Each structure stands twice: as C-alpha cells, then as structure tokens.
C-alpha cells in the first residue's frame, strides 16, 4: 500500500491520517453546503493531524479544500434555487476583498479575543433563531432594493475579513445575516451564502498561494472529498427546504458554541 509519507505536499502525513482528513472534508462539505460551519469539522481535524509546520499552513490548505466545496455547492444550488445575482455578486466581490485583508492579518490578531466575540454573537444568533420558529420559513425582504444591497455589502466585507482570519462559523453567520437582517428564507440564504463563500475562500488564497503556505498534495485530495460532500449537502437542502436548513443551522450553532466556549476557557 502506498504511504503518504513519501509524497510531496503532505507534510509527512501518514496514509491513515490522509484518509481520515478526506473523510472529515467530505462531512465538512456536506454540513457547510447546507448551512455553513463545515470549518468546525475540517480545520480542527487538520490542526490535530498535520504534523509539524505552522498553523497557517493548515489554514491555507483548508481554504483549498473549502473553495472546491463551496464552488460545487454554489453550482448545485444555482440549478435548483433562485439566486439574486445582482445582489449576490457585489456582495461576493466585497467579501473577497475583506477575506484578502483578513488573510494578511491572519497571524497578527489576538485569536482569543476574536473567539470570545464570535462566541457571544453565535449564542445571540442561536437563541434568536430558536425563539422564532417562523424565521426564514419564507422570503420576506425587510429593505428596499438599495437598502438590501447596502446591508449585504457591509455584511460581506466584514464576514469576508473574519473568514480570511480563518474564523469559525463564517458560513453560518452569512446565512443568519441574509435571514435575520435581509429577510431571505433559509434555503435562499444558504444558496446565496455559498456564492459569497466561494469569494471569501478565493480572497484568502490570493494571499496564501503566493506566500507559499498551501500544502498542495493534501489540499487537492481534501478538495475532491469536500466537493463531493458539498454536492450531497446542497442536494439535500434543495430537496428538503428551509425547515430542514433551519434545524441544521441550530445544530451547527450549538456545535460552534461548544467549540468556541472550550477555546475561550482554555485561552487558545
């Protein structure tokens, strides 16, 4: 049996470790395609198993896998769910620029403080969603055309910046922004969020690739797995509708609270 130890671009990862990370990438792609939060599965697995090197190599390689998955999910959604491209594309562009900026500062900002801020925010988001069962059941725009675009652009650049820093929950925050503030149904929000998420991943890679931070062998293997999981997740969400997406959203939100709460308590 071939051993990944001898292959370039794998950071001396064993074959068993590679197979485990590919499985994690598949699961992460499926979860992320439905409602975001796949990074909660994929990135911690990489940080645990990739031997040696700097954390930023895992962050960069994670983006290679994620961009394949988000692109596959966006394509699947676009075939089945209407997307307002006149709003989604400008939002994606600003998110890309925000993510590029976030990647540049990825190892310069205090992650402990950021984790605490995001933990508080995700608790508020989860409680608000849980207490309003009708939230996101149907499209109910809260702004006129111009106001909606302004909210989406501001949200795109801020969440893009957070994603460039490799912050957890970006996809989930994008979904909640589009549901809670803009007024999209959960299914429409998930479809739009995937378009924006493609851009945030590309934005981060615009820094990580020239900087030589990507482990290409590992990243490409995980990209195939993540894309396969994303197609499955997007297909499930499209078939089962906004109610299903809402339930997955709340489940992922609880997972994020537990993960971030542990990091804050441990001072990581």
């Amino acid at each position: 049996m071939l051993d990944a130890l001898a292959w370039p671009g794998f950071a001396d990862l064993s074959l068993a470790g590679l197979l485990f990370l590919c499985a994690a990438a598949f699961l992460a792609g499926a979860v992320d395609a439905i409602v975001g939060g796949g990074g909660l599965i994929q990135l911690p697995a990489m940080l645990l198993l990739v031997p040696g090197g700097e954390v930023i190599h895992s962050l960069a390689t994670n983006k290679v896998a994620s961009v394949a998955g988000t692109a596959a999910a966006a394509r699947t959604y676009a075939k089945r769910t209407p997307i307002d491209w006149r709003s989604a594309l400008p939002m994606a562009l600003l998110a890309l620029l925000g993510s590029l900026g976030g990647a540049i500062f990825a190892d310069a900002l205090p992650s402990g403080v950021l984790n605490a801020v995001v933990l508080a925010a995700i608790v508020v988001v989860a409680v608000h969603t849980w207490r309003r069962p009708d939230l996101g059941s149907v499209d109910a725009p809260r702004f006129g055309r111009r106001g909606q675009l302004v909210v989406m652009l501001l949200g795109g650049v801020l969440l893009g910046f957070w994603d460039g820093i490799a912050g957890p929950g970006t996809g989930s925050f994008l979904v909640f922004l589009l549901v809670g503030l803009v007024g999209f149904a959960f299914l429409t929000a998930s479809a739009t969020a995937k378009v924006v998420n493609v851009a945030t991943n590309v934005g981060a890679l615009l820094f990580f690739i020239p900087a030589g931070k990507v482990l290409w062998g590992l990243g490409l293997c995980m990209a195939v797995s993540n894309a396969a999981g994303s197609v499955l997740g997007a297909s499930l969400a499209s078939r089962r509708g906004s109610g299903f997406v809402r339930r997955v959203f709340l489940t992922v939100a609880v997972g994020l609270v537990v993960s971030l709460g542990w990091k804050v308590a441990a001072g990581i």
Side-chain angles (χ1 to χ4, degrees), residues 175-268:
V175 169
F176 186 77
L177 168 75
L178 295 169
V179 171
L181 291 182
V182 178
F184 285 176
F186 267 105
L187 185 59
T188 306
S190 288
T192 307
K194 287 308 104 186
V195 175
V196 178
N197 237 170
V198 173
T200 63
N201 288 321
V202 169
L205 287 173
L206 289 177
F207 169 75
F208 287 137
I209 291 175
K213 303 299 184 181
V214 176
L215 301 172
W216 282 107
L218 176 59
L220 293 175
C221 288
M222 292 181 68
V224 173
S225 299
N226 194 286
S230 293
V231 171
L232 173 63
S235 298
L236 278 173
S238 297
R239 287 201 307 268
R240 302 191 64 176
S242 290
F244 170 73
V245 176
R246 178 182 182 275
R247 290 191 294 273
V248 177
F249 177 85
L250 287 172
T251 302
V252 170
V254 171
L256 283 168
V257 168
V258 172
S259 175
L260 289 172
W262 177 80
K263 286 185 177 181
V264 171
I268 298 177

Side-chain angles (χ1 to χ4, degrees), residues 25-180:
F26 180 88
L27 179 59
V31 171
D32 202 61
I34 297 171
V35 76
L40 181 67
I41 300 168
Q42 185 168 274
L43 184 57
M46 294 183 68
L47 293 174
L48 178 66
L49 290 181
V50 175
E54 302 175 2
V55 171
I56 199 165
H57 290 296
S58 290
L59 301 181
T61 306
N62 175 63
K63 291 301 179 188
V64 173
S66 295
V67 75
T70 50
R75 184 173 183 271
T76 302
Y77 273 122
K79 292 179 178 179
R80 307 183 182 196
T81 305
I83 296 175
D84 183 356
W85 293 104
R86 292 181 299 168
S87 297
L89 291 179
M91 182 183 186
L93 176 60
L94 282 192
L96 184 152
L97 297 175
S99 182
L100 175 58
I104 293 172
F105 290 100
D107 51 357
L109 294 176
S111 60
V113 174
L114 292 172
N115 282 333
V117 171
V118 175
L119 173 60
I122 200 70
V123 168
V124 172
V125 165
V127 170
H128 181 69
T129 303
W130 174 69
R131 293 186 62 185
R132 295 190 57 188
D134 60 330
L135 183 68
S137 57
V138 295
D139 285 316
R142 291 177 171 80
F143 302 96
R145 183 75 194 175
R146 183 174 299 177
Q148 174 178 303
L149 183 59
V150 169
V151 171
M152 291 176 70
L153 292 179
L154 289 175
V157 72
L158 290 174
L159 290 176
F161 184 81
W162 173 242
D163 197 41
I165 305 170
T170 301
S172 298
F173 277 124
L174 281 169
V175 169
F176 186 77
L177 168 75
L178 295 169
V179 171

